[in-house]
């Protein structure tokens, strides 16, 4: 049972993430030699685990039925992004000198409404949560301002739900999702609300696995961003909150010290504010 009343069922939010993913054109030009090497090493790692833990037939059958259930719940994007993506992200951004990145996760949707450099995120008139004003600037590694750089921002609401992935909750399509175009100096000032931590739904196969292992199914509260500017590598990152719940034990292992914000109260008493800039690597 999910503790939240009217919580969207895992099968719904999971299936939604699978639907969105299937619209993406997926290709990789890996050679047969490379495919073979990766598969052989993957299986060898698995054999090692089986021997080390003397995995039983009962456990093997349980694995089969659980794998089938992840697919039926449409939770492969969720499971992979929670348990595997952090390593992929780390390997693929290790060469960078600019801002640290983090995983994209399963709930990004391209094409969010375009907003000016000074803006308020699309939200309900009575949107719950602490108001948050975020000022920042996008620069290149050499220090030059990247005027017109674009910051795509998406995050959960005060209940920990994402628009378009919580059917039946009545959240407007683009709630707390925006595509912000920075000014000539790459600056922006975005008004939003602080998100709540995200809980992997415990009625789906991913959440069931966490419960079976005694793992907390939570991710700390976070803001997702994709930052782009011509001639620069796209930065995908997440920002977290100092002292926030689960920041020390993110189930997705996607927290890095450079990504933790310390919001301060605003002088006018209207919630909190943060300053956080992005530095992009040239291509
Ligand atoms: C999320 O909100 C998220 O960001 C990731 C990576 C996985 C599951 C839910
Ligand atoms: Fe998220």
């Amino acid at each position: 049972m999910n503790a939240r009343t009217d919580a969207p069922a895992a099968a719904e939010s999971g299936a939604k993430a699978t639907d969105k993913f299937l619209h993406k054109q997926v290709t990789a030009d890996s050679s047969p030699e490379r495919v073979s090497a990766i598969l052989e090493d993957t299986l060898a790692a698995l054999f090692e685990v089986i021997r080390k833990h003397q995995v039983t037939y009962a456990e093997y059958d349980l694995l089969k039925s659980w794998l089938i259930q992840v697919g039926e719940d449409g939770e492969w994007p969720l499971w992979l992004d929670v348990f595997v993506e952090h390593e992929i992200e780390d390997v693929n951004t290790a060469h960078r000198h600019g801002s640290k990145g983090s995983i994209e996760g399963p709930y990004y949707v391209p094409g969010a409404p375009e907003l000016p450099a000074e803006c308020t995120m699309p939200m309900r008139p009575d949107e719950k949560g602490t108001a948050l004003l975020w000022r920042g600037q996008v620069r290149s590694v050499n220090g030059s301002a990247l005027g017109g750089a674009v910051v795509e921002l998406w995050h959960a609401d005060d209940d920990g739900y994402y628009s378009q992935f919580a059917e039946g909750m009545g959240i407007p399509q683009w709630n707390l999702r925006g595509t912000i175009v920075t000014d000539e100096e790459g600056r922006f000032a975005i008004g939003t609300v602080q998100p709540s931590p995200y809980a992997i739904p415990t009625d789906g196969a991913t959440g069931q696995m966490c419960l079976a292992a005694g793992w907390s199914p939570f991710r700390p509260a976070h803001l997702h961003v994709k930052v782009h500017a011509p001639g620069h590598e796209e930065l995908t990152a997440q920002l977290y909150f100092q002292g926030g719940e689960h920041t020390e034990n993110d189930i997705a292992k996607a927290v890095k010290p450079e990504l933790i914000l310390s919001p301060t109260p605003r002088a006018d008493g209207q919630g909190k504010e943060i300053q956080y800039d992005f530095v992009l690597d040239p291509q």
Side-chain angles (χ1 to χ4, degrees):
M1 276 297 291
N2 200 308
R4 291 160 173 163
T5 52
D6 302 325
E12 277 179 79
S13 49
K16 210 73 211 281
T18 294
D19 275 359
K20 299 260 186 221
F21 183 80
L22 290 176
H23 282 104
K24 212 164 128 171
Q25 291 296 324
V26 185
T27 56
D29 53 7
S30 320
S31 68
E33 291 74 23
R34 181 171 165 79
V35 172
S36 175
I38 291 172
L39 287 180
E40 272 195 34
D41 283 355
T42 302
L43 291 170
L46 187 58
F47 303 154
E48 209 176 293
V49 171
I50 291 167
R51 264 182 207 285
K52 177 176 173 191
H53 297 281
Q54 297 286 292
V55 173
T56 66
Y57 255 103
E59 288 164 339
Y60 176 63
D61 278 344
L62 204 65
L63 171 66
K64 268 193 205 171
S65 66
W66 177 82
L67 285 168
I68 292 166
Q69 195 60 45
V70 177
E72 287 189 353
D73 290 346
E75 286 194 344
W76 279 118
L78 175 67
W79 193 90
L80 286 163
D81 293 351
V82 167
F83 293 108
V84 180
E85 191 184 356
H86 65 87
E87 209 65 26
I88 300 278
E89 192 276 335
D90 224 54
V91 165
N92 285 274
T93 59
H95 62 282
R96 290 188 183 171
H97 299 283
S99 298
K100 285 283 181 211
S102 189
I103 63 180
E104 176 178 313
Y107 301 142
Y108 168 67
V109 186
E114 200 172 289
L115 302 167
E118 259 186 58
C119 63
T120 301
M121 288 289 275
M123 64 174 81
R124 293 160 282 191
D126 56 348
E127 192 69 45
K128 286 193 292 167
T130 305
L132 184 69
L133 175 65
W134 174 10
R135 290 179 209 281
Q137 186 189 30
V138 185
R139 294 184 301 274
S140 187
V141 163
N142 69 8
S144 62
L146 293 173
V150 170
V151 178
E152 290 183 86
L153 171 63
W154 74 101
H155 63 84
D157 65 13
D158 188 55
D159 292 320
Y161 294 125
Y162 286 85
S163 57
Q164 303 188 41
F165 296 91
E167 226 140 273
M169 299 290 289
I171 306 176
Q173 186 179 20
W174 296 106
N175 210 56
L176 303 176
R177 295 177 181 274
T179 302
I180 298 99
V181 182
T182 64
D183 69 14
E184 317 77 65
E185 292 186 322
R187 293 185 197 281
F188 58 87
I190 307 166
T192 190
V193 293
Q194 254 183 245
S196 281
Y198 171 87
I200 295 170
T202 47
D203 58 342
T206 306
Q208 287 297 319
M209 188 196 80
C210 294
L211 294 185
W215 296 345
S216 156
F218 279 92
R219 295 214 59 221
H222 55 279
L223 302 169
H224 288 271
V225 288
K226 278 185 182 286
V227 187
H228 351 220
H232 289 74
E233 288 190 34
E234 177 178 283
L235 172 69
T236 300
Q238 295 186 31
L239 300 173
Y240 306 91
F241 299 91
Q242 181 65 50
E245 271 184 288
H246 317 291
T247 301
E248 305 293 321
N249 66 328
D250 178 12
I251 186 72
K253 294 187 165 51
V255 179
K256 301 179 186 180
E258 298 87 347
L259 300 174
I260 301 177
L261 305 166
S262 296
T264 53
R266 285 184 61 179
D268 61 7
Q270 303 288 304
K272 300 197 169 172
E273 64 185 15
I274 50 173
Q275 165 80 41
Y276 188 91
D277 298 344
F278 295 109
V279 178
L280 303 187
D281 281 70
Q283 255 161 2

